[in-house]
Amino acid sequence: MYDIAIIGGGVNGCGIARDAAGRGLRVLLVEMDDLASGTSSRSTKLIHGGLRYLEHYEFSLVRHSLIEREVLYKIAPHIIGPLRFIFPHQKGMRSLWLMRLGLFLYDHLGGRTILPASRALDLSRDEAGAALQTQFTKGFEYSDCRVDDARLVILNALDAHERGADIRTRTKLVTAKRDGKGWDLHLRDLRTGKSVHERAAIVINAAGPWAEEVILNRLGVDTQSQVRKVKGSHIVVPRLFEHERAYIFQNLDKRIIFALPYEDDFTLIGTTDVEITGEPGDVEASAVEIGYLCEAVSDYFKKPVHPADIVWSFAGVRPLFGHERINPSKLTRDYVLELDESLGTAPMLSIFGGKITTYRVLAQKVWQSLEKVLPKGARENWTSEVALPGGDFAIGELEELVAHLQQSCTWMDNKVATRLVRAYGSRALQIFTQEGKALECGEDFGCGLCELEVSYLIKTEWARTADDILWRRSKLGLRFSKEQVSRLEHWLQEREKGA
Ligand SMILES: Cc1cc2nc3c(=O)[nH]c(=O)nc-3n(C[C@H](O)[C@H](O)[C@H](O)COP(=O)(O)OP(=O)(O)OC[C@H]3O[C@@H](n4cnc5c(N)ncnc54)[C@H](O)[C@@H]3O)c2cc1C
């Protein structure tokens, strides 16, 4: 019997699993697809306070999100890093004094000790102005952080597992029924088609945009809460500017569009707000959204962006909590926890909404909500101080780790070694070396992705398919040719047959 069963292997489910396993609870997490295959790999990839939420007076959300930036950066410096944002002033939009006030609040609302403060910019002199049209002469610069969203999920799952949690991917919750003693969960292994039954005292519904479907169809419980499903799309184009800062643009409809340096050679542009009613797993960036994003950034950059430039696009669905009459872009990005104890002894907790940025605090709040029904488990909050796997090195030591890895593995060029340290942190040395000597790497599938790494991902990080490896454990999908993808797929099939 598990203490808690978590439905959903996104950032919230995996963050809760880590927190609970570290408190000594018996944890089961089921994910019907791959870890992070839902919204949590389809975000703008920012750990941010959310400058624009200040306009909606969401001061509490902005404050605890701002504090989280540095907390998360310290526990995962390999996958999280500081990012400066250029905010050009556009006549007829938010006034200079309003931008200055917003940034003053952003600097002072909470928790900024490492990240530099905001400052005014003369874009006619700053190199960031060179990529912009000449009318943009004034602006500001401020700090937030970037994150590898999918790896954040996987590292939380890995840490949870290393603390005893049972993580089952490709496993769907079919139904769950409660009796006086807990929940009986009917699960299906989607790879073998086999049904399995497990028992848990508490169910946590962390199914993101599927949360309502899980409550109504899988758990058979009634709810008054509404999840609004709001699609957001992104496009990726070859790098549009040479520096390492990002841009935040105000669009004519008053929405905000980001253009971020991405994976060294690309620019990531997003996002949109389109309400949907269908299955959240099937979403794609539509031609209209692509046109909207291209036009929005072409109003700022000297070199216009065209749909033909796009090398990749993706869409995700925000599971937002709120009433159907509110405009999607004005719905709160904060989360709501709903505890259902109608049968007294078999509680269920549902999570609605939330951000990547707030997943760790959310997991602590889950613990607080369940404390009275779960007498067992350590009470002290612990996740703010303990590094995620591979994150146990000081901020600023990343280059040293890269050099160390290259010294041991002479076949690696700087690009490959940097990718590996950014993905695995200090664990890169454990994966690729033994007693200071390079391990045999096997076939190179392309861009330095070798058999040794693929086997590690299968054995340790629940990877099964080429997509798991090329789009969630890494972003090598941006660089692989069709032939390289086919070769990897073939190798994985052969390995599976032999297993
Ligand atoms: C376009 C966009 C941009 C965003 N940008 C940012 C950003 O820059 N910064 C930020 O902080 N936040 C951002 N967010 C918000 C953030 O991405 C989400 O709030 C967060 O990822 C939600 O995580 P989750 O774990 O709740 O849901 P998900 O990641 O969707 O996870 C839910 C999981 O449940 C699984 N599941 C569903 N039903 C079942 C079942 N029956 N059995 C088993 N498993 C099941 C699904 O397969 C899925 O993997 C963005 C969101 C979007 C859409």
Side-chain angles (χ1 to χ4, degrees), residues 100-139:
R100 207 183 290 272
L101 174 68
L103 289 170
F104 177 82
L105 287 173
Y106 211 68
D107 277 346
H108 294 95
L109 266 177
R112 190 180 53 78
T113 57
I114 311 170
L115 300 173
S118 62
R119 63 182 183 120
L121 280 187
D122 177 352
L123 289 171
S124 59
R125 287 160 182 255
D126 191 287
E127 65 159 350
L132 299 176
Q133 294 171 22
T134 49
Q135 73 266 29
F136 299 108
T137 54
K138 286 187 179 142

Side-chain angles (χ1 to χ4, degrees), residues 2 17 21-22 25-28 157-167:
Y2 293 95
L25 298 176
R26 285 163 301 180
V27 178
L28 169 68
L158 182 56
D159 201 50
H161 176 65
E162 289 176 356
R163 293 172 195 279
D166 185 353
I167 309 285

Side-chain angles (χ1 to χ4, degrees), residues 186-202:
H186 173 196
L187 308 173
R188 181 161 301 130
D189 181 331
L190 297 182
R191 276 158 38 97
T192 60
K194 283 197 183 128
S195 283
V196 185
H197 284 264
E198 295 290 357
R199 287 195 59 84
I202 297 177

Side-chain angles (χ1 to χ4, degrees), residues 118-353:
S118 62
R119 63 182 183 120
L121 280 187
D122 177 352
L123 289 171
S124 59
R125 287 160 182 255
D126 191 287
E127 65 159 350
L132 299 176
Q133 294 171 22
T134 49
Q135 73 266 29
F136 299 108
T137 54
K138 286 187 179 142
F140 295 90
E141 186 184 86
Y142 69 92
S143 292
D144 264 327
C145 286
R146 52 149 192 91
V147 61
D148 184 331
D149 52 4
R151 288 209 59 78
L152 180 66
V153 176
I154 284 144
L155 294 184
N156 272 278
L158 182 56
D159 201 50
H161 176 65
E162 289 176 356
R163 293 172 195 279
D166 185 353
I167 309 285
R168 298 191 203 171
T169 62
R170 269 86 188 188
T171 303
K172 181 171 181 165
L173 174 79
V174 183
T175 51
K177 296 210 168 17
R178 51 185 167 187
D179 51 37
K181 296 195 187 98
W183 290 88
D184 177 38
L185 307 164
H186 173 196
L187 308 173
R188 181 161 301 130
D189 181 331
L190 297 182
R191 276 158 38 97
T192 60
K194 283 197 183 128
S195 283
V196 185
H197 284 264
E198 295 290 357
R199 287 195 59 84
I202 297 177
V203 166
I204 298 183
N205 170 12
W210 290 265
E212 214 174 316
E213 194 269 334
V214 164
I215 297 178
L216 300 173
N217 301 340
R218 315 267 153 222
L219 303 171
V221 178
D222 210 10
T223 178
Q224 297 303 311
S225 301
Q226 276 187 332
V227 184
R228 299 271 301 275
K229 292 183 275 187
V230 180
K231 178 168 73 141
S233 293
H234 292 86
I235 54 175
V236 175
V237 296
R239 193 176 176 134
L240 293 173
F241 43 88
E242 286 312 312
H243 56 84
E244 288 305 323
R245 289 174 285 172
Y247 293 92
I248 170 169
F249 297 140
Q250 311 180 68
N251 197 33
L252 289 172
D253 58 7
K254 294 256 178 162
R255 292 190 65 263
I256 290 290
I257 307 288
F258 292 107
L260 316 174
Y262 189 57
E263 294 288 320
D264 298 330
D265 302 319
F266 303 94
T267 300
L268 172 68
I269 298 166
T271 176
T272 55
D273 281 303
V274 181
E275 183 137 23
I276 63 155
T277 49
E279 160 60 34
D282 297 338
V283 291
E284 285 177 2
S286 71
V288 173
E289 289 174 282
I290 288 175
Y292 169 88
L293 291 173
C294 288
E295 264 178 45
V297 291
S298 299
D299 283 344
Y300 281 85
F301 287 123
K302 272 185 191 146
K303 188 171 168 288
V305 175
H306 301 289
D309 303 331
I310 294 171
V311 293
W312 181 44
S313 66
F314 61 93
V317 177
R318 301 174 185 88
L320 303 182
F321 185 79
H323 202 276
E324 64 195 10
R325 284 195 297 274
I326 302 172
N327 174 332
S329 62
K330 293 198 174 135
L331 285 167
T332 180
R333 266 44 177 174
D334 214 347
Y335 56 82
V336 173
L337 305 182
E338 191 179 85
L339 181 61
D340 178 307
E341 298 178 85
S342 35
L343 280 188
T345 48
M348 180 203 53
L349 185 95
S350 281
I351 290 141
F352 300 102

Side-chain angles (χ1 to χ4, degrees), residues 11 13 46 99 125 181 233 278 338 412 431 448:
V11 75
L46 299 178
M99 288 165 79
R125 287 160 182 255
K181 296 195 187 98
S233 293
E338 191 179 85
M412 278 181 203
I431 301 168

Side-chain angles (χ1 to χ4, degrees), residues 7-13 30-32 37-40 42-46 48 171-173 206-210 214 218 232 234 271 316-318 354-357:
I7 318 306
V11 75
N12 287 328
V30 292
E31 164 53 53
M32 65 181 175
S37 57
T39 310
S40 299
R42 298 146 186 251
S43 79
T44 311
K45 300 161 204 326
L46 299 178
H48 63 155
T171 303
K172 181 171 181 165
L173 174 79
W210 290 265
V214 164
R218 315 267 153 222
H234 292 86
T271 176
V317 177
R318 301 174 185 88
K355 298 167 59 187
I356 300 266
T357 309

